[in-house]
Amino acid sequence: MDIRENMEEKYREALSTYLKEQTEQALYQGQKLSRKTIEHKVSPEEIINFHKGVLMDIFPETPGEVLHSLDFLLEVMMGYGIAYREHQSLRHQQQELKSEIEIAANVQHTLLETSIPDVDGLEIGAISVPARQMNGDYYHFVQDESECVGIGIADVIGKGIPAALCMSMIKYAMDSLPEHRHAPSSVLESLNRVVEHNVDPSMFITMFYGLYNPHNHIFSYASAGHEPGFYYEASTGTFKDLDAKGLLLGVDKKTKYRQYEKQVEPGDMIVLLSDGVTECRTSEGFIERETLVEYIHKNIHLSAQEIVNNIYKELEKLQHFQLRDDFTLIILKRDV
């Protein structure tokens, strides 16, 4: 007995039982049978044929009008059945796509994984949370032989798998740079040529790259159109924008980037972020940069990692736990 014959027999038994008993329990058998028909991909028109066949066997004297009405219903349900099968096919494709995206997200996480370096006299805290499965933000740490720490943070204008591929390319381009090319302006100029040559013209990447020297405590940095960070000056207890100007990566391969420097004193703090932090949207609109500064100031007595974790929790709560953009926040805090 094949599946269709088996399902027809089960339908016969269930319908016969219900017509005899007409109880809730007998009716419930129809619900269970419905799930089975879906599981075995039995179409709606096949079920009507089952019903008509069983009805004619149990009640041979069934009026012709009733049988004709079932023929009419069969015609109606044939269109429904086609739509149902298309729906099942789309569901199957959706499941396959979801599975592929999950695999891609895991691969992205593995490819872009970076470790926070251990630097004497410097605390580093970092958090990066995607709004969806694939992260359009990226951050990376590079520590050279002289113990200088390079910090890159980037954001692809575009989301999904193409953005993830761009980020992978950026990471491996950064890793392939020679030791003497870690000056922020040189890094961005090198990456800009890579992006301009390899990335579709419709996609652009903003990026900030900084280099912290633990020997003289100078933080040098450059920006390719990236969201400006903050600098906290412990001696005055004030926050200032970490302004740096530069063209987005991938626009013009001949672009030159200006390099800036900052002397980092004990207790000072560097805050780097993506626009998913400053463009946190609430019911009243985007939060102000001053609001973000207030949150950081409230947590300033904590470690760098605790600060970024707490800021993320605060802003996630403001958005009712529904991120609208990828969120990346990095803090470098020189020990007092």
Side-chain angles (χ1 to χ4, degrees), residues 1-11 33 36-43 46 50:
M1 182 181 293
D2 65 17
I3 292 175
R4 293 297 186 273
E5 290 175 344
N6 185 47
M7 291 305 301
E8 185 173 7
E9 186 58 36
K10 287 184 179 298
Y11 190 91
L33 186 61
K36 285 290 183 184
T37 59
I38 293 172
E39 183 182 327
H40 292 295
K41 299 179 181 178
V42 179
S43 67
E46 286 181 286
F50 292 168

Side-chain angles (χ1 to χ4, degrees), residues 139-182:
Y139 74 91
H140 187 49
F141 293 98
V142 180
Q143 190 168 21
D144 61 23
E145 292 178 353
S146 61
E147 297 183 337
C148 291
V149 179
I151 308 104
I153 178 169
D155 185 1
V156 175
I157 300 175
K159 304 299 177 190
I161 293 176
L165 293 173
C166 282
M167 288 310 181
S168 301
M169 181 186 64
I170 288 287
K171 178 185 187 296
Y172 284 97
M174 283 178 64
D175 287 342
S176 66
L177 292 174
E179 290 284 330
H180 66 279
R181 295 296 302 278
H182 280 176

Side-chain angles (χ1 to χ4, degrees), residues 299-324:
N299 292 277
I300 209 161
H301 60 287
L302 301 173
S303 70
Q305 189 60 53
E306 288 175 316
I307 295 173
V308 297
N309 289 343
N310 286 357
I311 299 301
Y312 170 69
K313 289 175 184 174
E314 292 272 11
L315 297 185
E316 185 188 33
K317 193 187 301 180
L318 276 182
Q319 298 178 91
H320 306 291
F321 304 95
Q322 184 69 48
L323 290 183
R324 291 170 175 79

